[in-house]
Amino acid sequence: MNRLWVRLTLALVAITLLSVSGVAMLAQLTAANQLNVFVERQRHITQQGIIDELAAFYAETGSWDGVGNEVIAQFLPSTPRRQPPPGQRPNGPPPNRTSYAIANANGKVVYDDTRARIGINLPSTELSRALPITVNQQTVGYLITILPEQSLQLDAQLYFVDQLQRNLVVAAAVVSLVAVALGALISRALAKPLAQLAQTARTFSSRNLSARAQPDGTVEIAEVAHAFNDMADSLQQAEINRRNLTADIAHELRTPLSVIQGNLRAMLDGIYPLEPAEIATIYDETRLLSRLVDDLRELALAEAGQLALRPQVVDIAALAHSAIDQFTAVAENRQITLSANLPNLPTVLCDTDRTAQVLRNLIGNALRHTPSTGHIALVGAVDGAMVRLSVRDTGEGIAPDDLPHVFERFYRGDKSRTRSSGGTGLGLAIVKSLVEAMGGRIGVTSTLGQGSSFWFTLPVATHPKA
Ligand code: ADP
């Protein structure tokens, strides 16, 4: 009962039966109206006493011979209508007055004032509508009214309705059978791609992440298949990312751990002296480990949208200047010029601490990748409803192959060098998550050997300056 094909089939059969019974009811109503007219007419005839006259005639003569002249003639209009020659059926227009016929007890027409049906055995349907003539409680014949034009039509209609009802019953039965067959066919065709989709979903959930649905069937089912495939794609990508991340983390943790282990082992074995310089190396590695764990935690929170951000209206120019101030001494030491160009920037809506963290990270990276006598500039501009800040350096630049990957976790342009300088390869990934969490975007342009420009946007605050 809960199957699609059963429900569809039942629906089709129900619709069929409803339509057929609707038509039957209409026909029935029409027939009932016409029957009332018919009954009225019969009553009228009875009132005329024609039946009594006929019965008296039969009682007297014992047959219907001569009934036309003796009885019926009294009831016909004075001008007799034109009779067709004997043996010929009347043609031309139907009679324009009521005329009569008499059938004997067996239903055989023995008198017909139009002569059309003499000798014909009347069908039972017509006999049942004729008026019986009784003598001594015995039916000796029937009076059949041969009707004027509209009454003839009435007879035809009654007959038609009768036939129609009979045919409708047959039609209902046949059409119901066809509906069952069609319902089964259509619903099977509809259900097949759904069953395939269910099978694909089961295969997918049993860890076969490459299983995809065939977008067959109707547009709606094909859409479900497409939606399933999209979901499968993103789940598969998420699974690949998860595996990569686990592998990356394991890899990143292994390096400092093996340095620590190796150095400690060497000290225990007396290969390295137990001196502050050696211990400092190990200490540096533990600091790297600790930064790595902190960064990973921060990135995980940012990506899960769980970093507690406190958006406020911030004077971004002031914040950028104070970020630059923190690096002035380092820059001077390395003979790098640090400049700011932040003309009339509106306030932005952001988390002050996180924005400062983004700026520190980008300026720190620029310093790391810019040789002495280079320049680093922090440039701000309004870009529609956003403020756009760029950190431009005249450093080593980034190779075109590396450029699309710099915001990925653990991505490092030069692995050995940045690891030795303490880079975790997570800085830009964290910065990207933070900027996006604050409603901004981030990007980079770079030319190898000439320098890079890291930019990010933040939404302009609609409130006045805080
Ligand atoms: P880390 O600095 O810890 O290696 P980041 O995520 O901050 O990690 O940066 C990723 C990589 O992007 C760096 O290893 C470096 O190759 C490249 N990069 C970042 N900033 C710059 C820059 N200003 N100039 C050139 N390369 C850069």
Side-chain angles (χ1 to χ4, degrees):
M1 190 63 191
N2 217 6
R3 297 211 149 250
L4 178 66
W5 78 268
V6 177
R7 289 188 175 205
L8 259 177
T9 307
L10 286 179
L12 277 176
V13 171
I15 291 169
T16 309
L17 290 180
L18 269 176
S19 330
V20 171
S21 44
V23 174
M25 265 167 65
L26 270 179
Q28 187 69 46
L29 269 177
T30 318
N33 283 342
Q34 307 287 26
L35 220 65
N36 286 341
V37 178
F38 180 77
V39 168
E40 269 307 306
R41 195 181 72 228
Q42 298 296 62
R43 191 178 296 138
H44 176 69
I45 292 165
T46 317
Q47 277 169 359
Q48 285 185 350
I50 188 168
I51 291 291
D52 293 345
E53 293 273 348
L54 287 169
F57 174 81
Y58 192 89
E60 202 176 305
T61 63
S63 84
W64 291 116
D65 295 342
V67 70
N69 291 335
E70 295 293 328
V71 184
I72 302 289
Q74 307 165 34
F75 295 93
L76 291 176
S78 49
T79 323
R81 57 199 292 273
R82 191 173 55 84
Q83 302 288 337
Q88 266 191 17
R89 291 181 67 83
N91 47 17
N96 53 10
R97 59 163 173 79
T98 303
S99 54
Y100 303 101
I102 291 171
N104 65 15
N106 300 324
K108 185 176 176 182
V109 178
V110 291
Y111 168 81
D112 182 353
D113 74 339
T114 66
R115 298 186 179 209
R117 296 198 285 179
I118 286 182
I120 288 173
N121 276 316
L122 291 179
S124 55
T125 47
E126 202 166 335
L127 267 190
S128 65
R129 290 204 300 273
L131 286 174
I133 305 159
T134 50
V135 174
N136 299 332
Q137 273 119 43
Q138 283 235 324
T139 302
V140 294
Y142 296 90
L143 173 69
I144 302 111
T145 325
I146 300 171
L147 303 155
E149 188 172 357
Q150 71 271 35
S151 301
L152 277 177
Q153 281 170 4
L154 172 77
D155 267 359
Q157 279 167 9
L158 285 173
Y159 179 73
F160 169 75
V161 170
D162 204 39
Q163 284 299 105
L164 181 70
Q165 279 176 333
R166 235 172 270 180
N167 290 344
L168 276 175
V169 173
V170 179
V174 173
V175 176
S176 295
L177 277 178
V178 174
V180 169
L182 266 181
L185 270 177
I186 295 172
S187 45
R188 295 245 159 197
L190 276 177
K192 200 174 156 208
L194 278 178
Q196 282 171 349
L197 194 60
Q199 184 52 42
T200 313
R202 273 192 286 274
T203 314
F204 186 84
S205 62
S206 59
R207 310 300 296 167
N208 180 358
L209 298 184
S210 58
R212 292 293 181 276
Q214 237 3 68
D216 290 337
T218 60
V219 175
E220 291 81 359
I221 294 177
E223 262 175 31
V224 175
H226 282 305
F228 174 85
N229 288 347
D230 290 347
M231 185 199 70
D233 286 346
S234 53
L235 280 177
Q236 190 177 26
Q237 192 53 50
E239 179 63 14
I240 291 169
N241 289 350
R242 194 187 62 79
R243 284 181 198 165
N244 287 350
L245 180 63
T246 315
D248 286 348
I249 292 173
H251 176 79
E252 295 299 321
L253 291 176
R254 201 174 55 214
T255 312
L257 272 177
S258 50
V259 172
I260 293 169
Q261 258 180 353
N263 283 13
L264 286 175
R265 183 79 257 166
M267 283 179 192
L268 284 175
D269 292 348
I271 300 169
Y272 286 173
L274 198 62
E275 282 175 1
E278 297 302 329
I279 296 171
T281 313
I282 298 172
Y283 177 68
D284 283 347
E285 291 299 324
T286 61
R287 277 181 51 207
L288 174 60
L289 263 182
S290 149
R291 263 192 60 196
L292 192 64
V293 171
D294 287 349
D295 283 359
L296 271 174
R297 186 171 172 278
E298 185 150 55
L299 183 63
L301 287 176
E303 285 187 345
Q306 286 179 353
L307 263 189
L309 291 176
R310 275 172 290 116
Q312 356 175 237
V313 179
V314 173
D315 181 349
I316 189 68
L319 192 70
H321 277 298
S322 81
I324 285 181
D325 289 347
Q326 293 173 30
F327 289 94
T328 316
V330 185
E332 273 172 10
N333 270 349
R334 297 193 42 217
Q335 294 163 330
I336 294 172
T337 51
L338 252 180
S339 64
N341 182 9
L342 309 158
N344 297 326
L345 289 185
T347 53
V348 296
L349 193 66
C350 66
D351 181 307
T352 316
D353 293 344
R354 296 301 180 183
T355 308
Q357 183 184 348
V358 169
L359 283 167
R360 277 199 306 274
N361 204 305
L362 294 182
I363 300 170
N365 272 355
L367 275 169
R368 251 201 311 277
H369 295 282
T370 304
S372 296
T373 70
H375 302 286
I376 296 172
L378 183 51
V379 181
V382 179
D383 183 1
M386 310 295 274
V387 165
R388 184 182 170 110
L389 288 169
S390 309
V391 178
R392 297 176 186 165
D393 64 55
T394 55
E396 64 206 39
I398 303 168
D401 284 352
D402 290 335
L403 206 54
H405 304 290
V406 289
F407 293 103
E408 289 172 11
R409 284 184 288 243
F410 300 118
Y411 193 84
R412 297 188 185 97
D414 178 346
K415 294 185 196 311
S416 56
R417 197 173 66 88
T418 33
R419 181 169 291 131
S420 66
S421 69
T424 60
L426 291 172
L428 287 178
I430 293 172
V431 161
K432 182 170 189 277
S433 294
L434 289 177
V435 168
E436 286 174 356
M438 290 188 287
R441 292 191 311 121
I442 192 164
V444 58
T445 52
S446 184
T447 310
L448 198 58
Q450 288 185 18
S452 312
S453 172
F454 281 85
W455 59 265
F456 68 98
T457 61
L458 288 171
V460 172
T462 43
H463 302 293
K465 255 187 192 188

